[in-house]
Amino acid sequence: MAATRHKPGSLLGSILGIIGFSAIAGILISATLTPALAVASSTANSGLDLFESLPSYAQINQQAERNRIYGMRDGQPVEMAQFYAQDRQVLQWSDVPTNAVNALVAGEDRRFYTHGGVDAPSVIRAGMSQLGFGGDSGASTLTMQLVRMQIAIDACLADPEDEAAQATCAAQYTESYQRKLAEMRLAIGLEQVYTKNEIVLAYLNLANFGGNVYGIESGAQRLFSKSASELTVAESAALIATVQNPSTRNLFNAENWPRNQERRDFIINSMAGEGYITADEQAEALATPVDENFVTYSPANNGCIAGHDSARFFCDYVQRVLQNDKVDGHYILGAEQADNARALFQGGYRIYTSIDLSLNDANQAVVDAYAPNDYADWFGGAVTQLEVGTGRILSMVQNKDYDPRADPALPEGEEVPSMTATAVNYNVDYRDGRSIGFQPGSGFKIFTLAQWIIDRRSVNEQVDATEENWTTGEFTASCNPGATAIEAGGWEPQNNEGNQYSRMTPTEIMVNSVNTGTLRMASQLDLCDVMDTAAAMGVERGDAGSIDPNTREVIENNLVPLPSAIIGGAWPVTPMSMAEAFATISNGGIHCEPIAIDRIVARDGSEVAPPGQDCQQAITPEVASVMQLVLDEVTQRNPLNNPAGSTPVISKTGTTNGVRHTWVNGASPTVATSVWVGNIKGSNNLDELNLWNVRSQIFRGVMTEAINRYPGGQFLSPDQDTLQGDANALPDVTGQSVADAQATLAAAGFEVQVADPIDGIQASGMVEYTAPGAGSLVTTQTPIIIYPSNGALAPDAEQPEETTPPDAAGQTWPDLSAQSISDARSTLSSAGFNPDLVQITWQDHGEANLCTVLAQNPLPEAPGAPGDPISVVVGTNASGGDPGC
C-alpha cells in the first residue's frame, strides 16, 4: 500500500512527522522482536489518541457470506436462490489454491513469513520515499492490509448512528502517520494470536476483486467461471493484481485490463524470483494477454432475480419476511431492526422454505398458458396456494416476470414500467410485496354467509332477494354506526347481468352470487360482526401501510363495516388473505397464519427460530361444516370451477363492477387456492375481451395440480343442529279449514299463502297439505303455501265407477316424502302404481330440498288403484320449474 509523497513545500513538516513516526515505529517493531514488551504500554504515552479511540480489531472476524434459500422438490430441499451484501464464499485452508497464496506473498509481502506483522525495511523505505528519496514505497505488510480491510468492513458497516465507528471508517480512506501506526499496532497484535496461514486465508477470503465480489473463490467463479482450486498461475496473479486498487485494476471493466496486466506480470516475475514457479511456467503465464479471451465471466447470482424461475416472487416475499417479521417481540435474526439487518448482511444462513417447486412450476405453466405476460401491460393474474392445517405456502406465482429493477408498487392508474415484468408481488400486501391488493367482488360474500350461520340462521330458509333501494338505517354497525350511512336518494345495487330474483335460500344466493340476496341477509346481521369474522378468518386490507393518494395519509388495516363491503366493493384484499379464509373453512374453522420459512440454520450449524405456526379457532367446526356444505354445492353447480375427480372442492367466484377484477377462491381438504385475474392499471372489462373465465381455467388447472400432489381428505359432515339453525318443524294443519290453518301458522310467525284448490281427499275447503310439508324444518322467514282440497277425492264425494281390479284390493299409496323425484317414481312403480301419472307442482324451498318430494296427495297409506294419479310438490330453485331433476 503506497505512502503518499509530500510536496516539496511541506518537506519540513514531513521530516518532523517522520521523526515522530520513526520513533514510535521503532518501538512497535521492537515489540515484534521482544514479545514480552506489551504493545499497549509501549504506546500509552505516545500521544496518539487514535490508538485509544480505535476498537480492538486485533482479531479475524467473521466475514460476510452468501445466504441461501431452499425450496422443496419431491420432499427434498433444493437451493433456489442466494442473496448477499458481499458476493463471498469462504474457503477453508485445505481448499486454498497454492498459486493464489504464492501470488499474494510474492506480490504484496515477500518477507511475510519472517516478520512479526511489521516489516522494518519496508517502514524505512516508506519513510525515505516520503522525503522524496527513491520511488513510491509502502510500509504495509499483508497483516497490516488485512487489519485495514477488517477495520473498513467492521467500522464502515456498523450502525450509522455510531459516530466513533463512522469516524474510524472515514479514517481508513485518508493517509496519515497516525493511521499507519495504528495499523502497525493492530497487525502486531494479530500476529501474536493467529498463524501465518490463518492470516493469508483471511486475506484471500476478505479481499475485494471488483464491484460486489469478495474472496478468491467468488472472484474465480465470477471472472473465470471456475473454482479457485483450478486457477492457473496467470489467473491467480491477475486476481491478486486487483487487491491493491480494485477500482482501477478489476477485470470486470475492459478499460482496466492493461493496468491489471502490468501489475499481473510484475507478480508473475516476483513469483519466479521467489522460486514459486519455474521459468517455463513464468514464460507461459507472461505470454497470456489479459483480454476478452482471458476472462470468462459468469453472471451474478445475487438475489431473487437470479433464483429459480417460477419462485422469484416467493423468494422476494421470504426476504421481506426476514426483514420485517418478528418472533416473540423481536426480529428473526436480531433484537432490533438494525441488528437484524447486520445479521442478514453477514449472511451464512441456510433458509429452508415451504414452497413446493414442482407444484409451483406446474402452476406457473398454467398461468402462462391462460394469462400470458405479454398479452397487455394492464393484464395481471396471480395464484396463492396454502397447505390446509398448517398455513405453509405451497405455491405463489403470477403472470409477470420478477424484476427488482422495475419501479416499486404503483397506485392504480399509473404507468406500469414493463409489459412483461414488475417488482410488485400481486399475491401479497403492501408491506410484503408492494401490492395494494384488488377488490374481491362477490368472493367476500362468504363472510356474510359465515356470520349468518354463526347467528344460528338456517341456510335453507327463504330470503327476499328482490331489488331494493336501500336507505340509511337499514343496516346495523354497532361498532361504527356512521359507516352505514347512505347518500340521499338511496342505494340500489343490481345483480350480475341484471338478473331478478324473488325468494331464495342462502345456499341459492351463494350458488348464483346474488347481490340483492346477500345484502338482505346482511341487513339482518351486524356488519361489525361480519367484518370481525372476516378478519378472524385471515382477511386483511391489501393497501394497509400504503399512502392514500387523496389524503396523503397512511392507510390503516381497518375493515370498515360499509354496506358495499358485503358484496366486495369497499377496499382491496390479496390472494393470500382469500386463500387463508378458504383454508380456515376447509380446516374446520381453524385459521393458520401463512408460513414461508420452515427452518433457518446459521453458518455455525445452530438453529434460528423462524415465525412459528400460529393457528387459532376463528369459527366453530359446526359453522365450518355448514359452510363446507354450501360452498361444495356452489362448486357442484358451477362446473367451470370443479376439477375432475372425486376430491370435494369448496369454492366461490368474485367479480367486481365492470368486470375489472375476477376471482375464484376455493379449497380441497388439503390445499386452499386463490386465483385473481384482472387489471394492474386502468379499468378494462374482462368480459368484453372474452377474458372473464380465465380465472376458472386457471383455478381448475392449479387445483388439479394441487390435488394430484396432495390427495385425500374429506370435508366434515354438516352439523345437523347448526344446519337447522333457528328452523323448526312445520305444524301439521292438514284437515283444518283454510282460515284456521292460516291462523295457526300466522300465530307461529309464518307468512302464509293460499294456492288454488286441488283434487284432494279432504272435504272441500279444508287443507289438503302444505308446502313445505308438515314436519319440514322451516324458519319464520319461510313462506308457507296452503293447498286447499276441492273435495273431489273425499270419501263422501261421488266417485267414478270402480276400476280397481280384484287383485288390487287393499292397495295403498307409499310415503314419498324426502325422496328425490326419480326415487319417488321408482317407489310408485314398485308399489304397483303408474309413475307416468305423477302430477308435479314445483316450489322453491331451498337448496337442501332441490328435486325432493315435499308433499303428496293422496297421503301415505291412503287407498289407491294402479291407474290413479298422484300429485306431489317438488323442490326447485329461484328460477322455478324443473331445475334438471
Side-chain angles (χ1 to χ4, degrees):
M1 191 173 295
T4 302
R5 281 191 170 194
H6 288 271
K7 296 179 181 179
S10 60
L11 180 60
L12 178 61
S14 298
I15 294 173
L16 294 175
I18 289 174
I19 291 172
F21 172 82
S22 300
I24 299 172
I27 297 173
L28 291 172
I29 293 170
S30 69
T32 70
L33 304 175
T34 311
L37 181 63
V39 175
S41 63
S42 72
T43 60
N45 298 315
S46 67
L48 296 178
D49 295 336
L50 182 59
F51 280 9
E52 299 303 322
S53 63
L54 275 174
S56 177
Y57 290 106
Q59 58 183 342
I60 296 173
N61 291 340
Q62 194 176 67
Q63 290 127 14
E65 287 190 69
R66 300 178 178 187
N67 296 297
R68 301 175 186 272
I69 302 179
Y70 297 83
M72 301 298 293
R73 190 183 295 280
D74 300 325
Q76 298 299 317
V78 176
E79 184 177 313
M80 69 179 196
Q82 301 176 3
F83 67 97
Y84 42 82
Q86 295 182 349
D87 183 357
R88 176 184 286 107
Q89 299 178 76
V90 174
L91 294 180
Q92 301 302 312
W93 180 252
S94 60
D95 301 319
V96 174
T98 301
N99 281 335
V101 174
N102 292 339
L104 179 64
V105 172
E108 295 298 316
D109 189 357
R110 286 177 293 171
R111 284 181 293 276
F112 171 71
Y113 282 101
T114 61
H115 64 62
V118 178
D119 183 37
S122 296
V123 172
I124 294 171
R125 282 199 311 273
M128 297 303 293
S129 175
Q130 287 291 304
L131 293 176
F133 300 105
D136 286 339
S137 180
S140 292
T141 62
L142 277 183
T143 313
M144 291 170 64
Q145 291 180 39
L146 175 61
V147 164
R148 188 176 185 185
M149 286 191 291
Q150 191 74 65
I151 291 175
I153 287 177
D154 290 351
C156 297
L157 297 176
D159 189 339
E161 302 299 322
D162 187 339
E163 295 181 0
Q166 296 308 311
T168 300
C169 171
Q172 304 316 301
Y173 299 96
T174 59
E175 294 293 342
S176 72
Y177 299 130
Q178 288 183 329
R179 182 186 62 74
K180 188 67 68 175
L181 287 168
E183 286 177 7
M184 290 180 180
R185 175 198 176 199
L186 296 175
I188 293 168
L190 201 70
E191 294 248 3
Q192 292 173 350
V193 176
Y194 298 99
T195 68
K196 291 289 187 177
N197 287 349
E198 287 174 331
I199 290 170
V200 170
L201 176 64
Y203 191 110
L204 290 173
N205 280 328
L206 200 64
N208 176 246
F209 293 97
N212 197 36
V213 179
Y214 292 82
I216 192 76
E217 179 65 23
S218 289
Q221 291 185 13
R222 290 290 307 283
L223 289 161
F224 298 110
S225 297
K226 62 175 64 173
S227 173
S229 63
E230 302 173 277
L231 290 172
T232 66
V233 170
E235 291 165 347
S236 296
L239 285 175
I240 298 304
T242 303
V243 299
Q244 273 196 0
N245 198 335
S247 63
T248 62
R249 291 184 182 148
N250 81 77
L251 294 169
F252 289 104
N253 187 343
E255 294 180 0
N256 296 338
W257 291 346
R259 287 187 291 271
N260 181 280
Q261 181 165 342
E262 180 183 5
R263 179 66 182 171
R264 183 205 68 168
D265 291 351
F266 167 81
I267 293 172
I268 292 170
N269 289 327
S270 295
M271 292 173 71
E274 295 297 318
Y276 294 142
I277 58 175
T278 66
D280 288 342
E281 289 173 323
Q282 177 187 16
E284 180 183 358
L286 291 173
T288 305
V290 177
D291 56 19
E292 64 275 3
N293 296 318
F294 181 64
V295 294
T296 306
Y297 298 124
S298 290
N301 59 353
N302 185 17
C304 298
I305 192 171
H308 185 81
D309 184 52
S310 76
R312 291 173 182 171
F313 284 101
F314 175 75
C315 169
D316 181 81
Y317 175 77
V318 170
Q319 287 187 302
R320 293 177 187 275
V321 168
L322 289 167
Q323 294 166 4
N324 299 330
D325 281 19
K326 293 184 177 182
V327 177
D328 297 329
H330 60 77
Y331 289 90
I332 297 173
L333 303 177
E336 301 297 331
Q337 195 163 36
D339 302 324
N340 195 72
R342 279 193 292 273
L344 276 175
F345 175 89
Q346 282 295 315
Y349 292 100
R350 285 172 286 152
I351 300 133
Y352 297 91
T353 71
S354 60
I355 200 77
D356 182 331
L357 292 175
S358 296
L359 176 61
N360 215 59
D361 290 346
N363 287 351
Q364 186 68 63
V366 171
V367 171
D368 291 345
Y370 294 110
N373 63 9
D374 59 355
Y375 174 81
D377 60 353
W378 59 265
F379 184 53
V383 176
T384 294
Q385 290 185 320
L386 304 177
E387 185 175 54
V388 172
T390 66
R392 296 175 71 250
I393 302 170
L394 299 177
S395 179
M396 180 184 287
V397 298
Q398 63 188 57
N399 78 325
K400 300 296 183 184
D401 298 328
Y402 174 75
D403 188 348
R405 295 166 296 186
D407 291 338
L410 300 171
E412 290 183 293
E414 294 188 13
E415 279 298 316
V416 174
S418 167
M419 174 180 286
T420 62
T422 182
V424 181
N425 186 344
Y426 305 138
N427 284 284
V428 295
D429 59 16
Y430 185 80
R431 188 193 76 151
D432 288 328
R434 315 311 285 176
S435 171
I436 60 173
F438 311 96
Q439 289 195 352
S442 296
F444 206 83
K445 291 171 181 173
I446 64 168
F447 304 112
T448 296
L449 173 67
Q451 194 60 45
W452 182 268
I453 300 169
I454 290 170
D455 285 2
R456 290 199 54 77
R457 303 296 295 271
S458 173
V459 296
N460 293 322
E461 68 179 85
Q462 296 288 314
V463 175
D464 182 4
T466 56
E467 288 185 9
E468 178 175 338
N469 188 296
W470 297 94
T471 59
T472 297
E474 295 189 89
F475 293 94
T476 300
S478 59
C479 61
N480 188 0
T484 61
I486 295 173
E487 294 181 2
W491 177 49
E492 191 170 353
Q494 307 294 307
N495 293 310
N496 182 44
E497 297 181 345
N499 290 334
Q500 300 288 331
Y501 299 93
S502 54
R503 302 191 71 88
M504 57 197 313
T505 66
T507 302
E508 281 291 322
I509 290 170
M510 293 298 126
V511 167
N512 294 286
S513 200
V514 181
N515 291 335
T516 52
T518 305
L519 288 168
R520 182 70 63 183
M521 292 168 64
S523 72
Q524 299 174 33
L525 307 171
D526 189 323
L527 301 193
C528 295
D529 292 340
V530 176
M531 296 305 135
D532 288 345
T533 295
M537 293 173 68
V539 172
E540 295 179 343
R541 290 181 62 145
D543 58 356
S546 65
I547 303 297
D548 188 318
N550 298 315
T551 65
R552 310 309 302 170
E553 296 177 351
V554 175
I555 297 173
E556 297 181 359
N557 186 25
N558 185 5
L559 303 186
V560 182
L562 301 170
S564 60
I566 295 300
I567 52 176
W571 18 254
V573 299
T574 65
M576 177 77 84
S577 65
M578 293 306 295
E580 287 180 62
F582 271 83
T584 299
I585 300 168
S586 180
N587 194 31
I590 299 174
H591 168 254
C592 294
E593 288 289 339
I595 293 175
I597 302 173
D598 291 333
R599 183 181 176 215
I600 301 175
V601 180
R603 69 174 78 196
D604 62 1
S606 62
E607 298 276 343
V608 179
Q613 190 176 92
D614 181 9
C615 298
Q616 305 290 333
Q617 194 80 47
I619 57 178
T620 67
E622 293 78 13
V623 170
S625 73
V626 177
M627 291 192 75
Q628 291 172 1
L629 175 71
V630 173
L631 297 175
D632 178 69
E633 183 65 26
V634 171
T635 305
Q636 296 296 326
R637 298 275 295 280
N638 289 275
L640 280 177
N641 304 325
N642 193 6
S646 59
T647 300
V649 172
I650 57 176
S651 69
K652 180 69 187 77
T653 56
T655 306
T656 64
N657 286 344
V659 198
R660 184 180 178 185
H661 300 294
T662 63
W663 301 71
V664 182
N665 309 303
S668 72
T670 58
V671 178
T673 299
S674 178
V675 174
W676 162 81
V677 176
N679 284 257
I680 302 168
K681 65 171 187 174
S683 55
N684 298 280
N685 187 304
L686 271 66
D687 188 30
E688 293 175 355
L689 296 169
N690 199 30
L691 298 171
W692 190 359
N693 283 326
V694 168
R695 60 180 181 180
S696 297
Q697 293 167 316
I698 294 176
F699 181 81
R700 278 173 57 90
V702 299
M703 275 304 301
T704 298
E705 296 289 349
I707 290 170
N708 289 342
R709 289 171 172 79
Y710 298 86
Q714 292 293 324
F715 291 129
L716 300 170
S717 296
D719 179 74
Q720 293 303 306
D721 182 61
T722 306
L723 184 62
Q724 178 176 336
D726 58 356
N728 292 289
L730 183 69
D732 187 357
V733 293
T734 302
Q736 295 184 19
S737 68
V738 170
D740 288 345
Q742 284 182 289
T744 298
L745 296 173
F750 293 104
E751 177 184 334
V752 182
Q753 303 172 23
V754 180
D756 293 335
I758 61 172
D759 291 346
I761 62 173
Q762 302 297 327
S764 179
M766 300 299 167
V767 176
E768 184 69 20
Y769 53 78
T770 60
S776 299
L777 293 176
V778 293
T779 68
T780 54
Q781 286 75 35
T782 305
I784 310 300
I785 302 175
I786 291 175
Y787 289 89
S789 172
N790 61 12
L793 304 177
D796 56 352
E798 183 177 345
Q799 301 295 326
E801 184 176 344
E802 180 64 51
T803 58
T804 304
D807 61 354
Q811 188 172 358
T812 60
W813 291 102
D815 186 357
L816 306 178
S817 60
Q819 295 186 32
S820 68
I821 184 59
S822 59
D823 288 346
R825 293 183 191 276
S826 297
T827 299
L828 290 171
S829 179
S830 298
F833 293 96
N834 186 350
D836 295 332
L837 298 179
V838 177
Q839 301 171 356
I840 298 176
T841 300
W842 298 101
Q843 183 66 42
D844 180 7
H845 283 286
E847 192 65 28
N849 296 318
L850 196 69
C851 298
T852 300
V853 174
L854 304 173
Q856 69 182 77
N857 180 39
L859 295 175
E861 305 302 323
D868 290 348
I870 184 171
S871 296
V872 293
V873 178
V874 180
T876 185
N877 52 34
S879 62
D882 185 351
C885 299

